[in-house]
Amino acid sequence: MSHSVRFVLHEKAIVADIEYYDPSNPPEDLLELNPTGISPTLVERDLVLYDSRIIMEYLDERFPHPPLHQMDPVSRANARMLIKRIDQDWYQLLDEILFSGEKKSARAKKMLKESLLSSAPIFAARPFFMSDEFSLIDCALAPLLWRLPMLGIDVSTPNEAITQYAERIFRRPAFKRSLSDAEKDMAQLPK
């Protein structure tokens, strides 16, 4: 998801030209670099990357300050596994909601809501997702949470764990700067 990559760019204060395009009609010059036409595509000199999670890790390694991954290999591997689970468990449902028929979409909404709510204790346990430090995991998760109100998915709980976590992330200046004009219209930024 390109929003995650833009969040990393802004979190690290990396200067980049960001170009938006219609995903149903990618520009020819992009297709020459990225035959899939999938967003995002990172072009830096002779390097072309077009997987958001690979781009996020590349940016974190290429621009090491501030670090968004733990320094030790075990913590980095665990973070990669969490991001993979977020993609498989939650983003896959988001894709079903956005790109399938009404019946399948309603089922996916219910499953996504239930899965997030069952994870509320994880959101409550630490300031960031399974961590005391802001990380690539938060950059990966934030765009999904940002889209929930637009989809009519309410993840309120009595202790507001998910809502409070999301608001902490959404208050970050880098998150605010990462929003495209269309994304700004999806939800309200917390005060």
Side-chain angles (χ1 to χ4, degrees), residues 66-128:
L68 297 178
H69 247 329
Q70 298 296 324
M71 299 316 268
D72 70 283
V74 172
S75 295
R76 277 198 316 270
N78 284 330
R80 287 182 184 111
M81 289 303 300
L82 279 172
I83 291 171
K84 186 167 183 59
R85 287 286 311 271
I86 289 166
D87 287 344
Q88 288 176 334
D89 296 352
W90 294 337
Y91 274 103
Q92 191 169 355
L93 290 169
L94 178 64
D95 285 346
E96 277 187 47
I97 293 165
L98 296 173
F99 304 113
S100 66
E102 193 174 317
K103 189 174 184 177
K104 199 170 184 180
S105 176
R107 182 185 141 280
K109 277 185 186 182
K110 183 177 187 289
M111 289 175 65
L112 179 58
K113 178 178 180 171
E114 288 172 359
S115 182
L116 286 166
L117 288 173
S118 71
S119 299
I122 296 169
F123 286 96
R126 298 170 100 178
F128 299 103

Side-chain angles (χ1 to χ4, degrees), residues 82 86 90 119 122-123 126-131 133 135 137-138 141 165:
L82 279 172
I86 289 166
W90 294 337
S119 299
I122 296 169
F123 286 96
R126 298 170 100 178
F128 299 103
F129 196 77
M130 298 185 76
S131 177
E133 302 292 326
S135 74
I137 300 166
D138 303 297
L141 188 52
Y165 164 83

